[in-house]
Amino acid sequence: MSEIYPPRQKPYSRNAEILEEGVFPEGMQRVALCIEYNGASFHGFQKQPTGVDTVQARLEAALSQVADEIVTLVCAGRTDTGVHGTNQVVHFDTVAVRPLKAWTRGVNALLPNSVSVKWAQKVTPYFHARFSARFRTYRYIIANTPSRPALGYEQMTWVREAVDELSMWRAAQALVGKHDFTSYRASQCQAHSPVRHIHYLDIARRGDLIVVEIQANAFLHHMVRNIMGVLLSIGVGDQPVEWAAEVLAARDRRKAGVTAKPNGLHLVDIDYPGHFDLPVTLPGPCFFGERLGEFRAQEA
């Protein structure tokens, strides 16, 4: 017997989006997890057919062992090789009945130290880690020091030259709003539309660290790293402030600069409608206590 959610029937498949008329099998439950990971040792988040080490592959193996059945999952946003996550959200469907601590402590006991489940919560079948998300936020961390940092090197991008973060911030404001970001997406990006809406792009310095916080409804492949490549060229004085807007207007990837390194990029927040009642955690990385929107550059 199945529990029917209001009428426009669609066959059930594990982890799929449940529409208003969808069917969710009796005895099945949907669980959401928040994941933190150091992406330096992984070939991205998504499981690969070649069998290389990925965050998803490690998670699914650990979850399957705890559930005593094969578990697959869906994530809010796939991150590239070397990119980190402080609040990645995933969900999975399972018939296994387990206390929530089994999905946290039990799974963490089977994961490498570079991956950790921060919280677990049972959710309505209407929740979908990817499709229910309203917007996503990334932070890009730059270590602006004369010598290469030894601590935290994998979680930061090192720039030796003096960086003018205020020039970067001024340039970045041309990217805020709804635009065609063709110039800022990877040539192999498979998104149907290059149009995205950046809600804000803030930049601030904390000692030798520069933090860029960018929030949008969604991101294109390599979009944040390509934006950072342009902004860093402006920050070190290789390009004028106006260049970011000129690249945007060109709608041509060849007009932009290099793709910035993945080291400093962190997926720090996924926003969902309040009725899902998911736990709230600090964005991170852990050496920053600021909440979202607290990195504000001030005009001189």
Side-chain angles (χ1 to χ4, degrees):
M1 181 177 177
S2 299
E3 188 173 350
I4 308 294
Y5 293 88
R8 203 171 83 212
Q9 293 284 340
K10 186 177 181 183
Y12 166 80
S13 61
R14 281 209 178 190
N15 307 327
E17 183 180 23
I18 305 295
L19 301 176
E20 289 182 352
E21 320 79 22
V23 178
F24 197 68
E26 184 178 359
M28 188 73 70
Q29 58 185 321
R30 182 158 289 187
V31 180
L33 306 177
C34 180
I35 312 297
E36 181 173 274
Y37 53 91
N38 178 348
S41 60
F42 293 105
H43 294 264
F45 184 91
Q46 186 179 19
K47 187 164 59 176
Q48 303 293 327
T50 56
V52 296
D53 202 10
T54 67
V55 180
Q56 182 178 2
R58 292 290 189 127
L59 270 171
E60 288 184 348
L63 288 166
S64 297
Q65 194 166 336
V66 170
D68 196 25
E69 65 165 347
I70 295 175
V71 172
T72 59
L73 59 83
V74 172
C75 72
R78 295 175 296 193
T79 53
D80 293 331
T81 298
V83 176
H84 318 288
T86 63
N87 286 292
Q88 170 75 273
V89 175
V90 307
H91 82 261
F92 61 93
D93 292 349
T94 181
V95 295
V97 178
R98 301 287 185 272
L100 291 179
K101 66 181 181 181
W103 303 124
T104 52
R105 296 180 194 174
V107 172
N108 282 339
L110 300 169
L111 289 170
N113 291 335
S114 51
V115 185
S116 178
V117 179
K118 297 174 72 170
W119 55 254
Q121 183 163 309
K122 294 178 182 177
V123 291
T124 169
Y126 290 127
F127 175 84
H128 191 281
R130 178 185 174 193
F131 297 130
S132 297
R134 296 190 297 187
F135 48 82
R136 297 152 175 84
T137 309
Y138 282 87
R139 284 177 175 173
Y140 195 90
I141 316 300
I142 301 158
N144 191 205
T145 55
S147 301
R148 172 178 54 80
L151 300 178
Y153 182 76
E154 292 178 336
Q155 286 79 47
M156 308 171 192
T157 293
W158 174 47
V159 178
R160 177 189 289 113
E161 301 91 339
V163 176
D164 181 351
E165 69 275 8
L166 185 54
S167 292
M168 291 173 62
W169 179 81
R170 288 172 174 157
Q173 301 320 297
L175 307 180
V176 175
K178 189 175 182 179
H179 302 288
D180 180 328
F181 284 97
T182 296
S183 294
Y184 288 98
R185 70 169 173 172
S187 57
Q188 68 269 36
C189 180
Q190 298 179 355
H192 296 303
S193 170
V195 176
R196 294 293 185 270
H197 188 165
I198 292 181
H199 299 165
Y200 67 84
L201 203 165
D202 289 338
I203 304 175
R205 181 180 284 271
R206 297 290 185 268
D208 289 332
L209 299 182
I210 297 171
V211 186
V212 179
E213 184 174 294
I214 178 170
Q215 184 183 95
N217 63 330
F219 290 91
L220 301 163
H221 189 198
H222 285 174
M223 180 174 162
V224 179
R225 290 171 58 194
N226 289 336
I227 287 174
M228 288 308 308
V230 167
L231 295 182
L232 279 171
S233 292
I234 293 169
V236 300
D238 291 342
Q239 295 288 350
V241 168
E242 299 76 22
W243 191 48
E246 293 168 0
V247 169
L248 179 69
R251 298 182 183 180
D252 184 347
R253 177 69 190 107
R254 295 168 296 180
K255 302 295 183 182
V258 299
T259 302
K261 294 180 179 179
N263 309 41
L265 187 56
H266 303 251
L267 174 61
V268 300
D269 187 71
I270 313 292
D271 181 85
Y272 295 99
H275 64 80
F276 289 124
D277 198 27
L278 299 179
V280 177
T281 58
L282 285 173
C286 62
F287 42 83
F288 291 118
E290 287 86 347
R291 296 182 181 277
L292 292 182
E294 291 185 352
F295 290 109
R296 299 286 183 184
Q298 299 297 320
E299 280 276 17

